[in-house]
């Protein structure tokens, strides 16, 4: 059945891999081995927010992604750029407005969106090109591929509001993405889509991720949030839940928060057939 799983890796020495005791490390590897075997050649879609990319710890996140890649997981990364777009819009004196969680993208703002997306793409690609010693990146030679994989259409007029160059996914070029994954490349999807007439549209990373995961038949979506972990009504960390329960939690959240965006994405993805 469709389910959602939210959690985190063990964080203290007593919990497993952080221990310096040889037996603990061996036990952790034994426990991990079945998962490594189960996930080899599986497709995971990762969602990176603009806040996550701006974090001081983003290089560490890239190392973790590289480790997944080295274990044979086939990775598609959809990334957002909200704070980076806001910064560029403010510097350019361009108004940036939202309607029902969607940014209204006029011509001036589209320049900011394209600029931000391109700069983040270069940053992500540069980090995957690193060859740091004593890290998962050492000698990895990871190739990152990006392109016009997302075909978009205009969102149009909603509630009397013209969203201009804000769009939504029309279709995903799955054949092209699978070709890249079969070549052991990581596929990078910016928050942009392109129409058959050559127009550029501003899309949400969450919508791209859900559509891509569904179209590819991905095994899992992983969302990296910038804030606190998701808790239940008693304040206990939610390690897994089903979409119906997630929908109940969503009602109590700030609709513009990262947690709300992650829940909307997760519910949407599960309803489209993504198992986890």
């Amino acid at each position: 059945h469709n389910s959602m799983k939210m959690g985190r890796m063990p964080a203290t020495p007593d919990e497993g891999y952080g221990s310096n005791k040889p037996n603990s490390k061996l036990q952790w590897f034994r426990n991990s081995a079945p998962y490594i075997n189960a996930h080899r050649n599986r497709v995971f879609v990762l969602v990176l927010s603009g806040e996550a990319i701006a974090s001081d710890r983003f290089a560490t996140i890239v190392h973790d992604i590289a480790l997944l890649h080295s274990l044979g997981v086939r990775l598609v990364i959809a990334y957002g750029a909200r704070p980076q777009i806001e910064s560029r819009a403010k510097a350019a004196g361009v108004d940036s407005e939202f309607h029902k969680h969607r940014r209204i993208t006029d011509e001036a703002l589209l320049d900011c969106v394209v600029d931000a997306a391109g700069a983040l793409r270069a940053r992500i690609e540069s980090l995957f090109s690193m060859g740091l010693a004593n890290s998962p990146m050492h000698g990895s030679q990871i190739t990152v591929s990006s392109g016009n994989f997302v075909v978009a259409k205009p969102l149009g007029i909603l509630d009397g509001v013209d969203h201009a160059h804000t769009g939504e996914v029309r279709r995903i070029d799955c054949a092209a993405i699978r070709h890249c994954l079969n070549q052991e490349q990581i596929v990078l999807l910016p928050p942009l889509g392109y129409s058959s007439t050559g127009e550029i549209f501003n899309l949400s990373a969450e919508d791209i991720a859900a559509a891509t995961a569904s179209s590819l038949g991905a095994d899992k979506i992983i969302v990296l949030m910038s804030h606190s972990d998701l808790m239940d009504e008693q304040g206990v960390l939610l390690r897994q839940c089903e979409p119906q329960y997630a929908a109940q939690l969503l009602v109590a959240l700030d609709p513009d928060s990262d947690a709300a965006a992650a829940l909307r994405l997760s519910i949407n993805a599960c309803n489209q057939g993504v198992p986890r």
Side-chain angles (χ1 to χ4, degrees):
H1 65 279
N2 291 336
S3 64
M4 304 166 60
K5 185 174 183 179
M6 304 170 194
R8 57 187 177 191
M9 293 290 288
T12 66
D14 291 338
E15 291 181 82
Y17 69 84
S19 173
N20 291 323
K21 297 179 181 179
N23 289 340
S24 296
K25 292 182 177 179
L26 180 59
Q27 187 62 39
W28 177 84
F29 184 78
R30 285 172 175 166
N31 292 338
S32 301
Y35 294 96
I36 295 172
N37 184 61
H39 292 322
R40 185 176 291 115
N41 293 324
R42 301 291 187 177
V43 177
F44 288 8
V45 175
L46 277 64
V47 187
L48 302 176
S49 68
E51 290 83 359
I53 299 173
S55 167
D56 293 337
R57 298 186 62 189
F58 184 59
T60 303
I61 293 173
V62 170
H63 293 166
D64 291 342
I65 295 172
L67 180 58
L68 284 178
H69 177 76
S70 71
L71 295 174
V73 179
R74 301 187 177 193
L75 299 172
V76 179
I77 301 174
Y79 67 90
R82 177 174 289 198
Q84 291 82 3
I85 294 170
E86 294 287 354
S87 176
R88 283 163 172 78
K90 184 177 181 180
V94 175
D95 291 333
S96 180
E97 298 181 359
F98 287 82
H99 177 70
K100 291 186 176 179
H101 323 303
R102 297 275 193 167
R103 190 188 298 274
I104 301 169
T105 312
D106 59 15
E107 288 282 354
L109 189 59
L110 182 62
D111 290 339
C112 299
V113 172
V114 173
D115 184 41
L120 289 181
R121 173 184 168 181
R123 170 163 167 71
I124 294 170
E125 289 176 347
S126 70
L127 289 174
F128 277 111
S129 299
M130 290 192 306
L132 298 180
N134 302 318
S135 83
M137 301 296 289
H138 182 60
S140 55
Q141 296 182 339
I142 295 174
T143 300
V144 178
S145 181
S146 185
N148 56 342
F149 300 132
V150 179
V151 180
K153 60 182 178 180
L155 192 60
I157 299 175
L158 298 178
D159 302 325
V161 177
D162 186 356
H163 285 68
H165 293 281
T166 298
E168 58 184 347
V169 176
R170 182 184 294 273
R171 66 177 176 85
I172 303 295
D173 190 345
C174 292
I177 292 177
R178 287 196 183 98
H179 175 76
C180 295
L181 295 177
N182 290 338
Q183 299 299 313
E184 298 185 353
Q185 300 173 359
I186 292 178
V187 174
L188 189 61
L189 302 178
L192 301 172
Y194 309 95
S195 73
S196 58
T197 57
E199 292 181 278
I200 303 173
F201 289 100
N202 176 21
L203 276 63
S204 77
E206 290 82 10
D207 287 352
I208 290 175
T212 302
S214 176
S215 299
L216 287 176
D219 295 271
K220 187 174 294 189
I221 278 186
I222 300 174
V223 187
L224 279 80
M225 300 190 302
S226 63
H227 300 320
S228 60
D229 296 308
L230 191 64
M231 307 292 182
D232 64 14
E233 295 93 334
Q234 285 74 42
V236 177
L237 177 68
L238 257 182
R239 296 194 178 275
Q240 68 179 38
C241 70
E242 295 189 355
Q244 295 86 344
Y245 181 62
Q248 296 175 26
L249 294 176
L250 186 58
V251 175
L253 294 176
D254 175 359
D256 294 321
S257 67
D258 275 4
L263 273 184
R264 285 193 296 267
L265 162 62
S266 301
I267 294 167
N268 188 20
C270 285
N271 289 337
Q272 293 184 51
V274 180
R276 287 282 188 176

